[in-house]
Amino acid sequence: MPVKEPTNAQKHQGGRHLALAEALLRGLSSQLRGAATYVEVGGHVAQVMVAAQGAWMIANIDATTALTCERVILVDVTDGRRDFYVAEGPAFRAGVRARHEAFLQQQGGTRPRNPDSKHTAVRPKDVVEWRDRWDLLQQA
């Protein structure tokens, strides 16, 4: 019987639990917060994003950059990796917006294939400064 590939939702939940496990192993209190996206680590609420194919996909840059969560935990499980990036929410969102605007400028101000798309991606090279920054989740 062939092994069934997990869905994106299952991968996200797996990454969310990996973030909690990593926090616990580092001595930080952690728990799920809500049904799908958030966790609480060290008294900080954090949005969790999971990359399973080399980048974190953002379907709507406007909705993402409008969030107010104080921390973001990026989990990269691409090709069996278990890499974590812990970012300050406002700085992360500002970087996402700046890279997206720079991309649009390179394209003459409009996305080339689908001008109405609000999709953008975040690659590990974009967030390298936040790799393993668990110190940002120390007790509040």
Side-chain angles (χ1 to χ4, degrees):
M1 176 178 240
V3 175
K4 196 174 194 181
E5 180 71 19
T7 66
N8 287 340
Q10 289 170 326
K11 289 177 189 176
H12 173 76
Q13 287 303 322
R16 191 171 168 227
H17 283 85
L18 282 171
L20 290 179
E22 185 67 19
L24 287 168
L25 290 170
R26 290 172 178 268
L28 298 167
S29 64
S30 65
Q31 63 185 347
L32 294 173
R33 180 102 180 236
T37 302
Y38 298 96
V39 296
E40 186 175 323
V41 177
H44 299 275
V45 176
Q47 173 190 8
V48 177
M49 297 174 66
V50 179
Q53 295 181 350
W56 295 273
M57 297 296 140
I58 296 174
N60 184 328
I61 186 166
D62 294 333
T64 296
T65 56
L67 295 173
T68 59
C69 194
E70 64 180 285
R71 300 286 186 264
V72 177
I73 302 173
L74 303 157
V75 182
D76 187 357
V77 296
T78 304
D79 296 328
R81 280 194 289 276
R82 301 293 182 262
D83 295 333
F84 301 93
Y85 302 81
V86 180
E88 295 174 335
F92 170 75
R93 290 184 293 275
V96 168
R97 177 60 75 181
R99 284 186 300 277
H100 182 72
E101 295 299 328
F103 166 77
L104 288 179
Q105 289 303 315
Q106 291 172 345
Q107 305 303 317
T110 306
R111 290 182 67 96
R113 285 184 268 172
N114 184 353
D116 296 326
S117 174
K118 294 183 182 263
H119 177 270
T120 194
V122 176
R123 289 170 178 71
K125 69 180 175 99
D126 300 328
V127 293
V128 69
E129 69 193 271
W130 288 310
R131 184 169 177 149
D132 288 326
R133 286 295 312 275
W134 292 96
D135 59 294
L136 293 173
L137 296 170
Q138 296 295 324
Q139 288 302 118

